[in-house]
Amino acid sequence: MTQTGIRPGTAQQQPATPSGTTDPRRSLLLLMAVATGLSCAGNYVAQPLLDLISRDLHLGSVLAGLVVTASQAGYALGLMLLIPLGDVLDRRRLTVLLFSATALFLTVSALAPSGPVLLAGTVLAALTSVGAQVVVAHAAALASADTRGRVVAVVMSGVLLGGLLARTAAGGLSELGGWRTAYWVLAVLMAVAAVVLHRKLPQLAVTAELRYPALLRSTLALLREEPVLRRRALLGALSLASYSVQLTALTFLLSGSPYHWSAPAIGLFGLVGAVGVVTMTFAARLGDRGHAQKVTGGGAALLVTGWLLLLAGQSSLFWLAIGVVVLNVGQQAVLNSSQTVLYALRPEARSRINSAFMTSFFLGGALGSALASVVWAAAGWTGVSTLGAALAAGALAVWTWERTR
């Protein structure tokens, strides 16, 4: 036992992959991408099922809506409280533990006899679902410096696709056996993923030695000590806030005049955003070649452009679809290039840096969603488009400020 009270993993450890050595095999990257997608899917599985859950458990609309809020709150807590552990514990063991715990808590939700039990299972499953971010940091550590952006992009594509596909899959599974079926299937898949990751995920040496309270303090200290982290955290928060405005308000637009779409049709339209995931690897390759700053600026500019197109989409499905694609491409470019920049700062503190950045990132997303609902009620799609463009312009301004520094 070390003097810090934390015993780093020792068996089969390897040093982090230095520049110029062999990167993770494609099969391993695919496994990590699928695993992160499954882990994040649990945070979205309830969204298309709220009506079914409400009727089965006799919940009011407010309590049913809290299931989504509980998922967001649990994930934010996990980002703050669990992700930093990746710097002091063997990430493979931490990943397996978190994936196993998520499978357990999804089972609790599947068996839930009442709303409070479902809320408890949802919060705990979301809390441990940050195992996906532990896998992302592990992928960055396994990669060489000149391919790290591409490797992270491949694994992060699983995170993003998991969120996009979970809604559609949950709706389909509910038709087969009710709303609980989606939870059961995901719980089983998470348990299988935990076993496979235990067998296939490489171990890496742990260098940091900190007790847990000091670990959390050091995460906050990194924000104080690293101006690049502060700027990227603000840039990321503004970019996801802008993107989340679209995610929230798009449902309002498509369900009303002139579209009058059904909920399943709106869910399928959301898959248009998957195009942004496809472009992540291209943006990552540019970042690996030393153009991360340009990729970020281009991504922020695309966010602004996307909102101009979305404004025209109020009465044109064509421009609405194009705007959604452009917004997704811009968002993924900003996210991936920011991670490329940040993972190069302090290799021994990657998990804490990821914790600080992703917490800010998702808090920005929550703010964007909340503002979108308020602005939609007051000013409709025009007001929402103005809000989204203003937030995107803020991200572009932060990038310009960073360039001058």
Side-chain angles (χ1 to χ4, degrees):
M1 186 71 69
T2 67
Q3 61 181 0
T4 62
I6 298 176
R7 185 182 183 87
T10 55
Q12 303 175 9
Q13 290 177 346
Q14 308 168 18
T17 307
S19 178
T21 59
T22 302
D23 288 306
R25 297 186 305 274
R26 289 186 179 182
S27 59
L28 178 59
L29 287 180
L30 178 60
L31 168 62
M32 297 170 88
V34 171
T36 58
L38 290 172
S39 184
C40 289
N43 298 325
Y44 301 93
V45 71
Q47 291 184 4
L49 307 176
L50 291 180
D51 183 57
L52 295 174
I53 292 172
S54 177
R55 285 189 274 115
D56 185 48
L57 298 182
H58 308 291
L59 307 178
S61 58
V62 174
L63 186 57
L66 284 177
V67 174
V68 176
T69 304
S71 180
Q72 294 172 335
Y75 195 73
L77 284 174
L79 288 172
M80 290 185 288
L81 302 178
L82 298 181
I83 292 300
L85 289 170
D87 285 336
V88 295
L89 299 177
D90 171 28
R91 287 198 195 101
R92 188 186 75 167
R93 293 180 181 177
L94 179 61
T95 298
V96 172
L97 175 63
L98 291 175
F99 271 62
S100 301
T102 303
L104 174 63
F105 296 136
L106 286 169
T107 302
V108 171
S109 295
L111 293 170
S114 64
V117 175
L118 177 62
L119 286 174
T122 298
V123 169
L124 293 171
L127 180 77
T128 56
S129 72
V130 297
Q133 294 298 329
V134 177
V135 175
V136 172
H138 198 58
L142 290 171
S144 57
D146 55 352
T147 62
R148 185 170 296 124
R150 180 184 62 81
V151 168
V152 170
V154 171
V155 179
M156 277 298 296
S157 67
V159 173
L160 301 167
L161 284 173
L164 285 172
L165 298 177
R167 300 176 181 89
T168 304
L173 288 170
S174 68
E175 294 292 325
L176 297 177
W179 67 269
R180 298 177 190 272
T181 305
Y183 284 94
W184 279 117
V185 169
L186 190 55
V188 171
L189 291 175
M190 284 296 293
V192 172
V195 173
V196 176
L197 288 171
H198 176 70
R199 296 184 60 184
K200 299 295 184 180
L201 203 62
Q203 285 183 300
L204 295 176
V206 179
T207 56
E209 295 185 358
L210 293 169
R211 290 184 183 273
Y212 185 65
L215 185 70
L216 296 183
R217 289 195 299 270
S218 70
T219 303
L220 295 175
L222 284 169
L223 279 168
R224 185 173 62 250
E225 298 166 1
E226 294 288 351
V228 173
L229 176 57
R230 289 198 302 274
R231 290 193 291 269
R232 287 286 166 165
L234 177 58
L235 194 159
L238 287 169
S239 69
L240 189 61
S242 176
Y243 180 73
S244 295
V245 168
Q246 173 258 147
L247 287 178
T248 301
L250 191 62
T251 300
F252 299 146
L253 176 66
L254 291 176
S255 61
S257 178
Y259 296 103
H260 301 291
W261 283 17
S262 65
I266 294 172
L268 288 174
F269 184 79
L271 295 180
V272 171
V275 176
V277 179
V278 176
T279 64
M280 280 186 69
T281 303
F282 175 72
R285 289 183 185 277
L286 290 176
D288 288 335
R289 293 170 184 168
H291 303 301
Q293 282 285 358
K294 294 180 181 178
V295 172
T296 303
L302 285 175
L303 287 174
V304 176
T305 303
W307 275 110
L308 298 177
L309 296 171
L310 285 169
L311 179 59
Q314 184 170 6
S315 56
S316 170
L317 184 61
F318 173 78
W319 290 116
L320 189 67
I322 296 298
V324 169
V325 170
V326 170
L327 209 67
N328 273 272
V329 172
Q331 172 58 32
Q332 305 318 322
V334 170
L335 174 59
N336 182 260
S337 58
S338 293
Q339 290 179 309
T340 299
V341 170
L342 293 174
Y343 282 141
L345 288 178
R346 296 192 188 181
E348 79 285 355
R350 282 197 179 106
S351 292
R352 281 166 287 170
I353 287 173
N354 194 37
S355 172
F357 174 71
M358 295 305 291
T359 298
S360 302
F361 187 68
F362 280 99
L363 286 176
L367 175 64
S369 296
L371 289 175
S373 299
V374 174
V375 173
W376 172 267
W381 187 251
T382 300
V384 163
S385 298
T386 303
L387 171 64
L391 291 168
L396 186 59
V398 173
W399 172 78
T400 303
W401 174 40
E402 184 174 60
R403 291 284 287 179
T404 65
R405 305 291 293 182

